[in-house]
Structure formats: structure tokens, C-alpha cells
Amino acid sequence: MNKFHLYLFIPIFITGCTNGNNTGSITPAQPSVVPDKPDSIQVWTPNDKPSEHDLIDGATEECKYVFLQSDTPKSIIGCINQIFVDDSTFTITDKSVTEKIVRFNKFGDYIQSIGSKGKARGEYIGLGCTAKTGDGNLAVIDIMSNKFIIYSPDGKPVDEFRMNKQMPHEMIMTDSLVLGSFPGYHKSSKYRLKWFNLEGKDVHTAFPFTSTRKYVAGHLLKDSDGDIHYNFSLNDTIFRIDNLRIIPEIVMNIHDQELTDRFIKDTETLDEKKYYARLYQDENIVNLVDLIKCDNKWVVYYQKGSNSYVSVISDNGKSRVNYQRARALQKGQKRELLMPEYFIDYAGGYLIGYIDPEGFDYLDNSRKSKYLKRIRQNSVNTPANDEDILNYGNLILCLYKLK
């Protein structure tokens, strides 16, 4: 697989590696919390037509670029899975490549690492998800040793608990409880959502959807208003989690749910390899969705067959503009990258993501020249010339203010 295929399909590869195969019928566990049935549900306007503009020209009014310090091994990261932003720092979790948590200032200068790999107290063997607590501490999951570690804002270990059960795939802190999203369905993890305390004891459980095939956990999202949202693979609904209520809130109109339901039924008996081959080759099936809630907009990354998109959708769902991120030129031919950014979160009025320097290799000359000019003009710490930008040894943060 060449670099571009890796770049385009890394999210799929991660999903495939964490999924499993469990054919046949199941008996859902009895949850303590069940989804509510609302009287009404918001429906986004369907729109599959890509814009003729790129996202920066069509949807943003300001952009900033921050080059993360690259001259020390401690600062180097391979990707950004989570980012926490305050007035003066970026705290970045890379659990996929370097398994590090690194803090930088707003100019990209390395400040410190938080935690490290090891078996001692305050160390982790396998870095999992992270979450900010209400008092500014950082909670970290060690997926290999079943530890739940808490670090202070200055990066020192404060406490840790050992959990005897499966660790969450994603988590959000809610007062003194943790809301975790767990992979299911299998005997050791009967629920997809759990509320547990800091000793790892289950307080409430929920099973908002069922399937005959084991899926990775659904995605949790906490927006700037403190509202918690939840969505899961091959389903067109966004749920809102309000205390212990799970409320269907939005129909995205990104999936064709009738086609998707038929696909699920037709592939129930396939083994894992054949199932994923069908999933990622079917041009009618959306196989990956990532959501970011901005102040008055949603930003949605989704991959449909061989193509991927970033959609900017108004808060009421009536306005939707799609920007194509990558596309297949022809069946069996190479794929074209149009946007080298991958967005992670929204904070301080900015949509935040990163540009992998290798992504520039797959832009055509016109787009590459346009990005280089934009980065030089809008970076807080721009390298001297285009060659230095293209060969920069660490990730480049991008911060976009939406119109």
C-alpha cells in the first residue's frame, strides 16, 4: 500500500483493526438506561453534491498554522488523536504512532511530556483515550494494564485505579463519573455505554443499539456548551446524552439508511475479511463518520466508498455544503487528495486539525503552491522557505475560524 492509500485509509484501517467478527444471533444485555423516543427529531437537508470551492475559500474567514517543535525527540508525534486547548497551550495525545501525550505552547514550542511508557505507578503500557476533568486534571486509560491514571495540570501523576473489566474506547468526564463507550457485543462487554466512578465500578449501563456483528464503540462528543452527543457506525442518527437519558436528536441524511440496513442484512454471515472488503468497496455505503460540533455549525468528515468529504452544516441542518477531501479518479486508478488537513476538535472559536507533511506530496502543483503561500502568510512560526515547510519534521497544526 503506497503512502497516499495509507493517508486516505488510515481511519478505515484503525476501525478494521479494532472491529471483530461475531456472526449469528445475540441476546442483548438488559440495560439500566434505554433510549427515549422523542416526539420530533431534527433532520439535516440531504446534499451529496461537492462544492466547486475548497473548504478554506468557501467556509473560513481566518486561518492560522502552528509548526510543532521538531528539534527534540520528545516533541515528535506521528498523529493527533485528541487535542485539549486552553489559553496558552495545546495538549496532544498520539495513541496510534508514538503513544505520547505532549504539551506545546501556542507558538508550537515543546513544554513537557505527560506520563511515559512503563509499568511503574503513573506510567502506561498501552496509551488509550484521554479526557479532561472538571478541575483541569487529565484522565488517561492504559488499555494494556487496565489502569485509569489521573495527571495534574503540570503533568504529575495524582492517582491511579486498576479496573478489572474491559477499558473504554472513548470517554468523557461527567462530574464525578466517567461516561465510557465500549466495544460490543461480546461476553466480557455486554454494554456499549457505561457510567463508572473513579474506582472503575459500574454505576449505570446502556445498550442503545444491537447488531449481530461486533462493532467498535460508538463515538462520544462533548461540545462547548457541555452537551454530550453519541453516534455509531452504519447508523444515521446522532443521539444526545442528558444525564441518564439517551435521546435520538438528529438524522444526518448522510447514510441512505435503507441501503445500509440491506447491506447489514446481506453481510451478516460473511467472515471478517469479506465483510470489510464489501464495506469499503461499496460506493453507496458510508463506512466512516467523524463529528465536530462548532458554536453554530457541525463539521462532519465522512467516507463513502472511495471518496471522502468534509461537510459544513448549519446548526438547524438546513444549510449543508460538502467539500471533497479525496476522490478516486477512475476505478482501479490512483486517488487524488484535495485537502491535506484532518480535523480533530473545535476550541476557542477555531476548528482545529493538523496537516501531515507527507500529505503535500499528493496535492497537485496548483494546490500545493496555494497551500504553501497560505501557510507562509498565516503561520505564527513559519520556516524560512517552501522547502523547509515541505520537509518539516513534525506535524503542522491548522486553526480555521468558520464564516
Side-chain angles (χ1 to χ4, degrees), residues 308-322:
S308 62
Y309 307 86
V310 175
S311 292
V312 179
I313 301 168
S314 62
D315 204 22
N316 62 10
K318 302 300 182 184
S319 170
R320 173 176 164 189
V321 182
N322 301 323

Side-chain angles (χ1 to χ4, degrees), residues 78 83 159 164 172 178 190 219 221 317 320 339 351:
I83 184 167
D159 213 339
N164 296 323
I172 287 175
V178 182
K190 296 180 179 180
H219 296 294
L221 166 66
R320 173 176 164 189
M339 295 165 51
L351 181 65

